[in-house]
Amino acid sequence: MSILILAEHDGQQLKQSTRQAVTAAQAWNAPVHLLLLGGDTAAVAADAARVAGVAQVIRVDAAHLEHPLAEDIASVLVALAGDYQAIVGAHTAFVKNALPRAAALLDVALIADVIEIKGNNSYVRPIYAGNVLASVTNAAGLQLVTIRTTAFDAAGNGGSAAVTTLAAPAAGTLSRWVAETRNVSDRPELATARVVISGGRSLGERFESVLGPLAQQLNGALGATRAAVDAGFAPNDIQVGQTGTVVAPELYIAAGISGAAQHLAGMKDSKVIVAINHDPDAAIFQVADFGIVADLFDAVPQLTAALKQ
Amino acid sequence: MKALVAVKRVVDHNVRVRIKADGSGVDTAGVKMSINPFDEIAVEEALRLKERGLVSEIVAVTLGEATSQDVLRHALAMGVDRVILVETATELQPLGVAKLLKAVAEREAPQLVLLGKQAIDDDAGQVGQMLAALLGTAQGTFASKIDIENGEAIVVREVEGGTETVALKLPAVITADLRLAEPRFVKLPNLMMAKKKPIETLAADSLGVDFAPRVARTAAAEPPVRAAGIKVGSVAELVQKLREAKVI
């Protein structure tokens, strides 16, 4: 039996999170199939077919899948499920919206946000904001899993998968897509950026003006604590933490962040962590590789200037 | 229009959890428990929809042991009209929870079911979607805004890099994200009054659904501790260290 991956894409390319799911799926030692849903997936199918470790790409194109709704994604998954031993996706909003719906229709459990896939359908997943690692075993014949992207490397190119096309089930009638807004930014995507610069509430109205130039200099993404987002200093979608985005960049710079457990849950797997905080006892220093006790309004511009040299 | 809100009793978000000595799970004995923050947001949003005249009655439901009554009292103190405890000592997992909530929803016939997008203990984030599937209704997950127009729920959803708006036929299931509503402060007199209100109790076993756990938890362990690094004295020194670490 094979493994099916619910792929996410922008119409042209796979999201990096899908490539990470491809790597995770190799744990089953079974052929990996990639499911593409969209209005026209011709371009993305070409990208997907090149991914190393993918045996087959399945295209399901239909007008109503241009902006796929949970009920329509779930009905495709339910139609295909009989041919697979596992259905896997990245733990992203797109997959988290649809895969639990499919799980309930299939009457199977879904193991969410796994960081390790062991043999015999056993998994490790963080609970309690990552303060506990739970080992779980699912005896079901069909395994449904979402993976934490930071725990798996992205699969590269080098494959040449066959591409097949399937007809979409009829569109659901329960809901309809209305609109979307995208925060336009020249910066890399937060979840996959090589460098993330995050700030806390103390940045206030100067969040962008202080951290923006440093992000620009390092070609990094901006992140924020929940407090900074709640106070309106940073947009919703850059919240890093238990209930926001989980990141693990090469370099994470935390400016004016005290280090609440909920925030650490979203960044403590970063390769190198820098903490800039005026409070020498801030919890963030306990996870930081390099800490500097300083006023961030002095230290961040200094750092930006030093890097320009 | 009736709204059903599902709430969960969880370890308070300020508590640092401990693992039981035998590694079988998290020790919750004597630990401060609270309403799951996302569920509290769902209750708040239901109250605001009622204040806007869009909802007429709010019923809160929780599942678990008798101790879970305290989160229902909290919901009553916030202002919900009625509460239901589905009582069981069995370990509950998302699919079982969704099945029990489906049974309650079929009794109550709400037009709107509101829940938090995830519970901060198991961080599974599945129940709303599963419940919508089992009820055969539309779903709006990770909601940051809800309007009711022409018999549809218009839901703004938080997704990576922006938002998405969907229109849901009613009845529908909606899960609350952080920005949906800021929960009101519960005043002491309201809390005292809530203690006098009745709690309807249903035995989970009487609802005729299979809510047995599907997944075995075999161990709970502490994550590896990240070693603290060093403090540097100046920005110049920091830059040098970052160059040595080859991250800049």
Side-chain angles (χ1 to χ4, degrees):
Chain A
M1 295 269 268
S2 307
I3 313 299
L4 184 65
I5 291 182
L6 175 57
E8 193 174 353
H9 60 86
D10 61 9
Q12 298 297 319
Q13 287 189 311
L14 291 178
K15 296 267 188 177
Q16 176 159 313
S17 59
T18 297
R19 288 176 176 265
Q20 288 161 318
V22 169
T23 298
Q26 307 302 325
W28 277 277
N29 286 318
V32 172
H33 297 181
L34 209 64
L35 173 63
L36 296 175
L37 307 173
D40 175 4
T41 60
V44 68
D47 183 48
R50 285 193 293 265
V51 177
V54 173
Q56 192 177 333
V57 174
I58 302 168
R59 292 177 57 189
V60 182
D61 288 14
H64 70 271
L65 294 175
E66 177 74 33
H67 300 285
L69 295 157
E71 53 187 295
D72 292 322
I73 303 168
S75 68
V76 174
L77 291 173
V78 168
L80 290 174
D83 295 333
Y84 293 92
Q85 68 179 95
I87 304 177
V88 180
H91 197 63
T92 58
F94 173 79
V95 175
K96 286 191 279 185
N97 187 40
L99 207 50
R101 189 170 180 110
L105 296 173
L106 293 162
D107 196 33
V108 293
L110 164 59
I111 314 294
D113 205 15
V114 309
I115 59 171
E116 190 182 345
I117 301 172
K118 299 177 173 179
N120 305 320
N121 299 322
S122 292
Y123 310 88
V124 179
R125 59 181 300 268
I127 57 175
Y128 288 91
N131 285 308
V132 178
L133 298 181
S135 296
V136 297
T137 302
N138 181 8
L142 174 63
Q143 301 285 309
L144 262 57
V145 177
T146 65
I147 59 114
R148 177 171 288 207
T149 53
T150 55
F152 300 93
D153 292 331
N157 287 338
S160 57
V163 179
T164 59
T165 303
L166 281 183
T173 57
L174 299 172
S175 60
R176 59 193 171 84
W177 185 87
V178 177
E180 67 183 358
T181 61
R182 287 278 170 261
N183 298 333
V184 188
S185 169
D186 299 337
R187 299 192 181 112
E189 211 173 294
L190 174 61
T192 53
R194 201 189 67 82
V195 177
V196 174
I197 295 108
S198 278
R201 188 170 47 188
S202 60
L203 278 142
E205 300 293 343
R206 288 189 277 172
F207 196 93
E208 176 67 37
S209 65
V210 172
L211 299 188
L214 182 55
Q216 168 101 26
Q217 184 61 34
L218 290 169
N219 190 27
L222 282 190
T225 63
R226 178 183 168 181
V229 170
D230 278 356
F233 302 138
N236 298 344
D237 63 301
I238 68 166
Q239 185 191 321
V240 171
Q242 178 189 18
T243 59
T245 301
V246 175
V247 300
E250 297 272 307
L251 174 60
Y252 189 91
I253 300 179
I257 291 176
S258 59
Q262 289 79 7
H263 184 77
L264 298 184
M267 47 64 78
K268 67 182 174 188
D269 293 328
S270 304
K271 212 158 270 171
V272 172
I273 297 174
V274 171
I276 302 170
N277 203 300
H278 63 81
D279 175 7
D281 299 322
I284 190 76
F285 287 120
Q286 288 165 22
V287 299
D289 299 279
F290 306 115
I292 182 160
V293 180
D295 184 336
L296 73 93
F297 294 107
D298 297 329
V300 172
Q302 279 175 26
L303 179 58
T304 308
L307 292 171
K308 275 187 184 152
Q309 289 168 9
Chain B
M1 181 164 100
K2 189 195 275 189
L4 180 69
V5 188
V7 297
K8 183 179 186 183
R9 183 176 185 259
V10 298
V11 173
D12 186 85
H13 75 281
N14 283 317
V15 171
R16 186 165 177 84
V17 294
R18 291 184 314 264
I19 292 169
K20 287 179 185 166
D22 63 0
S24 64
V26 169
D27 191 358
T28 55
V31 169
K32 186 185 179 208
M33 306 292 282
S34 297
I35 184 170
N36 176 44
F38 289 100
D39 300 341
E40 191 178 30
I41 293 168
V43 171
E44 177 63 38
E45 179 64 14
L47 294 169
R48 292 186 190 193
L49 291 170
K50 191 179 173 192
E51 286 159 5
R52 288 163 63 189
L54 298 168
V55 161
S56 51
E57 186 190 21
I58 304 169
V59 180
V61 59
T62 194
L63 321 177
E65 299 189 51
T67 47
S68 291
Q69 286 185 6
D70 55 7
V71 294
L72 294 176
R73 301 272 179 219
H74 182 89
L76 282 167
M78 286 178 76
V80 309
D81 299 294
R82 285 197 291 126
V83 296
I84 301 169
L85 168 65
V86 177
E87 197 168 355
T88 177
T90 302
E91 182 202 341
L92 294 173
Q93 296 178 352
L95 189 58
V97 170
K99 289 182 179 187
L100 289 168
L101 289 178
K102 176 185 184 233
V104 173
E106 282 173 345
R107 286 167 54 112
E108 293 289 335
Q111 287 293 95
L112 209 53
V113 182
L114 286 160
L115 326 75
K117 73 163 181 177
Q118 79 189 71
I120 61 162
D121 49 6
D122 277 333
D123 287 331
Q126 302 173 11
V127 169
Q129 299 90 309
M130 287 179 157
L131 176 60
L134 297 175
L135 288 170
T137 68
Q139 68 180 57
T141 51
F142 327 133
S144 61
K145 189 166 185 285
I146 302 173
D147 276 310
I148 310 289
E149 289 170 10
N150 305 323
E152 285 182 319
I154 313 296
V155 179
V156 178
R157 307 178 53 237
E158 295 205 3
V159 297
E160 285 93 4
T163 64
E164 180 183 75
T165 305
V166 290
L168 316 176
K169 274 188 192 165
L170 298 176
V173 177
I174 299 175
T175 72
D177 213 319
L178 276 177
R179 257 66 63 178
L180 182 59
E182 189 170 333
R184 63 197 61 193
F185 186 73
V186 174
K187 298 191 185 93
L188 189 61
N190 292 359
L191 210 52
M192 300 308 287
M193 275 196 311
K195 287 197 172 155
K196 298 191 188 108
K197 294 200 175 152
I199 291 177
E200 185 185 351
T201 302
L202 305 171
D205 292 326
S206 72
L207 294 175
V209 299
D210 169 20
F211 57 90
R214 298 292 186 88
V215 175
R217 180 175 296 173
T218 50
E222 301 244 4
V225 179
R226 196 182 171 104
I230 55 161
K231 286 206 176 106
V232 295
S234 68
V235 166
E237 194 183 339
L238 175 62
V239 171
Q240 187 196 334
K241 293 287 182 196
L242 293 177
R243 292 225 160 97
E244 285 167 13
K246 293 189 174 21
V247 290
I248 57 171

